[in-house]
Amino acid sequence: MNPLEEVGRDTTNFLEYVGGVADLFAHCARYIFQLRIRMGETLSQAYMLGFQSWPIIVLTSLFTGMVISLESAEQAVQYGVGNLVGGAVSYTIVRELGPMLTAIVVASRVGAAIAAELGSMAVTEQIEALDALGLSPVQFLVVPRLLALIALLPMLTIIADVISILSGMYVASGIAHISHDSFITSMRQTIAPLDVEKGLLKTVFFAVIIVVIGAYQGMQTRGGAAGVGRATTGAVVISIILIFGANLLLSYILFGVS
């Protein structure tokens, strides 16, 4: 194949993908603003996508807080700034690592689940059956998942922040003998409620990325079981890449502009 033709084909595919994702999100937004929401299904999805994710969030945030504190506490004490460890740990977690790592963990679990479920429905023509009945697959399948994750991801992030900070505090106390009072005082002096709010605001955008990408990958699935596997893998990979990119952009907008 001519190299120019290959570049043109890849560019066309990329633009079609971006357009399809944007169109899916626009349809979701329209149904939400029109309040055409299936509350029963939304609550069911909130339990499956959000509540069932908290154990893995607790485990990952536990180890994250421990590692950050372990890497920073001893060096801080050696340089005579042990009283700053609590602020450094909480600052990093609340503004960056808490929201982003929570979103990545949820994308790996929830994004894959959405893509696999909708992909299976696509290859078995269940989505086409909804269209044939005059029902919108976006309203019935995507909107409940989107609203559920938008509501639950900030809550999961709060859990991750708390667990990470507590685990970091206990590691700092056990490894570097930094008292709990010193850790908490430093944390209070370093972070403000607005930092927490901005960190949680990020998760709303991350939730949209996870659900919209997972749903689009699933609904575009072709090729049977192998296609479902490709759609699932693609949903996770693309979601994580977009989360990193969105985190950079949001950090610049929320924290980097004075």
Side-chain angles (χ1 to χ4, degrees):
M1 178 180 293
N2 189 305
L4 291 179
E5 291 181 356
E6 186 173 352
V7 171
R9 184 191 62 185
D10 292 341
T11 302
T12 301
N13 291 338
F14 173 76
L15 294 176
E16 288 179 352
Y17 188 92
V18 172
V21 170
D23 183 63
L24 177 59
F25 175 72
H27 278 78
C28 291
R30 178 165 61 88
Y31 286 120
I32 292 172
F33 286 129
Q34 292 175 351
L35 298 180
R36 297 169 64 182
I37 301 168
R38 302 174 63 212
M39 289 305 303
E41 180 66 15
T42 301
L43 293 175
S44 175
Q45 291 298 325
Y47 174 78
M48 289 187 291
L49 302 182
F51 183 78
Q52 291 185 348
S53 298
W54 75 263
I56 191 171
I57 296 297
V58 169
L59 288 175
T60 54
S61 58
L62 180 70
F63 293 121
T64 298
M66 287 181 175
V67 168
I68 295 173
S69 186
L70 181 66
E71 293 291 339
S72 60
E74 284 189 338
Q75 287 78 8
V77 170
Q78 289 176 4
Y79 287 101
V81 290
N83 60 322
L84 301 180
V85 171
V89 171
S90 57
Y91 185 88
T92 303
I93 289 171
V94 165
R95 290 172 56 139
E96 297 297 334
L97 290 183
M100 189 175 69
L101 290 180
T102 302
I104 290 172
V105 171
V106 171
S108 301
R109 179 186 179 275
V110 171
I114 292 174
E117 185 176 358
L118 299 190
S120 298
M121 295 180 68
V123 298
T124 55
E125 299 183 353
Q126 296 180 54
I127 292 178
E128 287 81 355
L130 288 174
D131 277 326
L133 293 172
L135 304 175
S136 169
V138 175
Q139 180 187 2
F140 275 73
L141 301 175
V142 184
V143 171
R145 290 167 170 80
L146 179 59
L147 290 176
L149 199 60
I150 287 176
L152 268 295
L153 193 57
M155 298 182 188
L156 293 173
T157 302
I158 292 174
I159 294 174
D161 290 346
V162 172
I163 296 298
S164 295
I165 292 172
L166 289 177
S167 63
M169 181 175 67
Y170 281 100
V171 167
S173 175
I175 299 297
H177 307 292
I178 299 172
S179 68
H180 294 172
D181 289 340
S182 175
F183 191 98
I184 293 173
T185 299
S186 175
M187 178 183 70
R188 289 176 174 174
Q189 293 174 345
T190 304
I191 62 172
L194 188 60
D195 293 319
V196 179
E197 294 169 4
K198 289 180 177 178
L200 296 179
L201 178 61
K202 288 182 177 183
T203 63
V204 175
F205 294 92
F206 296 159
V208 172
I209 290 172
I210 293 168
V211 175
V212 173
I213 294 298
Y216 184 77
Q217 287 284 127
M219 296 175 74
Q220 296 298 312
T221 301
R222 301 293 184 272
V228 174
R230 289 191 297 269
T232 303
T233 302
V236 174
V237 172
I238 295 171
S239 295
I240 291 176
I241 292 173
L242 291 179
I243 286 169
F244 275 104
N247 183 65
L248 174 62
L249 178 61
L250 291 170
S251 293
Y252 178 76
I253 293 172
L254 298 174
F255 302 115
V257 180
S258 59

